[in-house]
Amino acid sequence: MIILAATPIGNLGDASRRLIEALEAAPLVAAEDTRTAQRLFAALGIANRPRLVALHDHNEKQVAAELVERAREQDLVVLTDAGMPTVSDPGYGLVAAAAEAGVTVTAIPGPSAVLTALAVSGLPTDRFAFEGFVARKPGERSRALAALAAEPRTLVFFEAPSRVAQTLADMAGAFGADRRAAVCRELTKLHEEVARGTLAELAAWAEEGVRGEVVIVVAGAVAREVSAEDALAQVRALVAGGTRLKDAAREVAEATGLSSRDLYQAALAAR
């Protein structure tokens, strides 16, 4: 089978007993960075020396089929540098190929930067959406944030420390300067920090520079009365940004409580 193994995101003490047992027994390990995997084995005191193969963003399409076939004969443990494989990390292509080929995939759950940041953010946790890394190109970034402006769920993002200040400023422009948020850095590590405030306050705070691994958590949009005309304008704005009409109508309907079908038909009629 294929075993997706969650690894510590900072604190080595978060390595689970199951993770250690799996690594001690593994004949074959696919790792995002084989050097990082070797350091993890050493840090955990694991004497086993399995065959290590690289599985990263640049080669996953090429090696997935071969690894799936190997997993028919022996267990394959999949590691990324930190956290759960497939979550903003390599592994999705491998799992999709395994599912298609009928090869069993299981997981050893463990540390998650997404859930850890959400839990300590002080923002609602009952419904949330993980959005990964914010787009780098200004046009793509503005369209992506505009599409999320009315999202009622708490939003979780990854971001590089050098871009945190700009991202927070862009979010303040798209979501509103008073939207509540939290910047969580170096989670589970010695210098863990959670900064909370409005997007405007956090953007100003981040201007001094932010270091380490960063997760941004943003409160969802507050439900408000929206006229049919304003909702239709939101649908048309999403469509202009590249969203399919049916998806745009559904998204605005979820945020406003209006009928997705009515918005879709009104947008068609307005064309």
Side-chain angles (χ1 to χ4, degrees):
M1 69 176 65
I2 293 174
I3 304 169
L4 306 175
T7 54
I9 59 176
N11 190 319
L12 197 65
D14 291 334
S16 71
R17 182 183 297 274
R18 281 188 65 201
L19 171 65
I20 294 171
E21 291 175 349
L23 295 180
E24 286 176 336
L28 179 64
V29 172
E32 181 178 10
D33 186 322
T34 56
R35 295 166 299 182
T36 300
Q38 288 171 334
R39 288 194 292 270
L40 178 66
F41 271 69
L44 294 177
I46 295 171
N48 181 31
R49 292 295 178 264
R51 180 175 180 183
L52 291 173
V53 295
L55 178 72
H56 47 69
D57 290 337
H58 303 294
N59 77 343
E60 186 167 3
K61 288 183 179 179
Q62 290 72 37
V63 304
E66 178 185 350
L67 290 176
V68 167
E69 290 307 309
R70 290 190 185 183
R72 292 186 188 277
E73 305 298 329
Q74 57 185 178
D75 287 346
L76 168 66
V77 176
V78 180
L79 302 176
T80 52
D81 291 346
M84 176 61 74
T86 79
V87 182
S88 277
D89 272 333
Y92 163 72
L94 178 67
V95 173
E100 182 70 21
V103 172
T104 300
V105 179
T106 189
I108 298 175
S112 165
V114 176
L115 294 180
T116 302
L118 181 69
V120 301
S121 68
L123 298 172
T125 60
D126 53 339
R127 298 180 67 223
F128 70 94
F130 173 54
E131 292 294 324
F133 283 92
V134 183
R136 293 190 183 188
K137 295 181 179 179
E140 293 179 8
R141 175 189 294 248
S142 61
R143 286 192 294 272
L145 293 179
L148 293 170
E151 172 58 61
R153 294 173 294 180
T154 300
L155 300 170
V156 183
F157 302 86
F158 287 163
E159 189 52 287
S162 61
R163 293 194 296 271
V164 169
Q166 184 61 57
T167 294
L168 289 169
D170 291 343
M171 287 177 172
F175 302 158
D178 293 334
R179 183 82 70 94
R180 302 295 297 178
V183 177
C184 309
R185 57 176 294 273
E186 295 294 87
L187 289 169
T188 76
K189 301 178 184 177
L190 179 62
H191 300 292
E192 176 178 293
E193 178 181 16
V194 180
R196 304 179 181 88
T198 66
L199 284 170
E201 291 168 345
L202 291 171
W205 165 81
E207 285 293 340
E208 299 180 4
V210 179
R211 295 182 179 181
E213 300 293 329
V214 175
V215 184
I216 299 173
V217 186
V218 183
V222 177
R224 58 187 178 86
E225 291 289 334
V226 177
S227 68
E229 292 77 12
D230 287 344
L232 179 58
Q234 291 179 23
V235 171
R236 297 177 71 177
L238 287 172
V239 171
T243 304
R244 289 196 318 158
L245 175 56
K246 184 175 292 186
D247 294 336
R250 182 175 63 251
E251 184 174 323
V252 174
E254 290 176 354
T256 62
L258 298 175
S259 165
S260 174
R261 183 177 182 278
D262 290 347
L263 288 171
Y264 179 79
Q265 294 295 336
L268 281 179
R271 283 182 168 179

